Amino acid sequence: MLNHDLIEATKTFVKETLKDAEGGHDWFHIQRVYNNSLLIAKGETVDQLVVALGALLHDIADSKFHNGDSTIGPKIAGAFLVKNNVDSVTINHVIKIIENISYSSNIGKTDVFKSNELDVVQDADRLDALGAIGIARTFNYGGFKNRTLYDPDIEPNLNLSKAKYKASKAPTINHFYEKLLLLKDTMNTKTGQRIAKKRHEYMVGFLDQFYDEWNGEK
């Protein structure tokens, strides 16, 4: 069962914490992931409170905006949940979701934490990197980092280590091949797989149009 007072308090906390966040990792990203998580959870056997809290707190301090420090987010989330008298089992599960949800955190990792709740929130988060929203977020972040849109002479690197992935300054288009187009095949749930397939196809169509326009063919 969801504790509605706790959920509302968490939403307020996240909105305030992320009020100045980059546009692809702001409160609206959290809200979309939260809504997608609730949708996906309907078809899964999960602890709904863990799913809700994991979705709301998963990006409370994304490491890419904190000099690569992936420990800050779990610490902030844990302190907030303790302050709100959440039980230790729920807190530990939410922290595990935050620590293991990202694409980069699983590169080269063999001892990956798994749970049905993580599967749901991870799918919801990855769906937000696909489709029209995913395209918008990708170029928004590329602009935030002042990256080149596209450079035909710089090919995507499909064998990036975790360190090289996190340090990459490649053109924005390369990110589609180095991550986004790979997400469809990483989805955990049937609902996630169904939605991801449609969003993946939309992105493929966008790339076809992009290259045609780049080459003056359309």
Side-chain angles (χ1 to χ4, degrees):
M1 295 292 291
L2 290 177
N3 180 329
H4 292 289
D5 289 341
L6 174 60
I7 295 302
E8 290 307 308
T10 307
K11 289 179 180 179
T12 299
F13 171 70
V14 174
K15 286 180 183 178
E16 177 62 24
T17 303
L18 298 181
K19 64 182 179 181
D20 297 319
E22 178 266 335
H25 298 81
D26 58 4
W27 159 250
F28 295 110
H29 163 63
I30 302 298
Q31 187 177 55
R32 292 190 301 270
V33 172
Y34 175 71
N35 290 335
N36 276 331
S37 292
L38 297 185
L39 172 65
I40 296 170
K42 291 179 180 178
E44 306 297 323
T45 302
V46 294
D47 183 324
Q48 291 192 14
L49 180 61
V50 170
V51 167
L53 292 174
L56 289 170
L57 294 166
H58 82 278
D59 255 353
I60 197 64
D62 191 308
S63 64
K64 69 173 66 72
F65 302 107
H66 294 272
N67 297 314
D69 190 342
S70 60
T71 67
I72 297 176
K75 287 177 182 176
I76 292 175
F80 168 80
L81 295 174
V82 167
K83 182 179 178 181
N84 283 271
N85 301 311
V86 178
D87 66 274
S88 61
V89 173
T90 298
I91 293 174
N92 289 335
H93 198 161
V94 171
I95 287 175
K96 285 292 186 182
I97 288 174
I98 297 170
E99 290 175 337
N100 291 275
I101 190 172
S102 74
Y103 181 82
S104 61
S105 70
N106 290 288
I107 296 176
K109 196 172 182 180
T110 57
D111 58 337
V112 178
F113 169 81
K114 293 294 292 181
S115 75
N116 290 347
E117 291 76 12
L118 171 60
D119 286 349
V120 167
V121 182
Q122 189 175 67
D123 277 10
D125 186 41
R126 291 182 177 181
L127 284 177
D128 208 52
L130 295 171
I133 292 290
I135 293 168
R137 290 181 68 213
T138 300
F139 283 101
N140 187 82
Y141 185 72
F144 178 78
K145 301 295 285 187
N146 197 31
R147 291 180 179 169
T148 304
L149 286 179
Y150 173 54
D151 186 337
D153 295 327
I154 302 177
E155 295 186 0
N157 185 345
L158 302 182
N159 295 294
L160 289 170
S161 65
K162 180 177 179 179
K164 288 184 177 180
Y165 173 85
K166 297 184 79 169
S168 175
K169 297 180 180 179
T172 297
I173 283 293
N174 289 30
H175 189 60
F176 284 82
Y177 301 95
E178 295 170 353
K179 176 185 176 181
L180 305 186
L181 294 177
L182 306 178
L183 294 180
K184 175 176 67 69
D185 295 328
T186 71
M187 306 303 286
N188 304 295
T189 66
K190 289 184 178 180
T191 302
Q193 291 165 4
R194 174 177 55 80
I195 299 173
K197 183 176 184 294
K198 293 181 179 179
R199 296 192 183 193
H200 176 92
E201 291 170 353
Y202 184 92
M203 287 199 308
V204 171
F206 165 80
L207 288 170
D208 288 342
Q209 180 72 20
F210 180 92
Y211 294 127
D212 283 345
E213 294 181 13
W214 185 275
N215 294 317
E217 296 175 6
K218 284 188 178 179

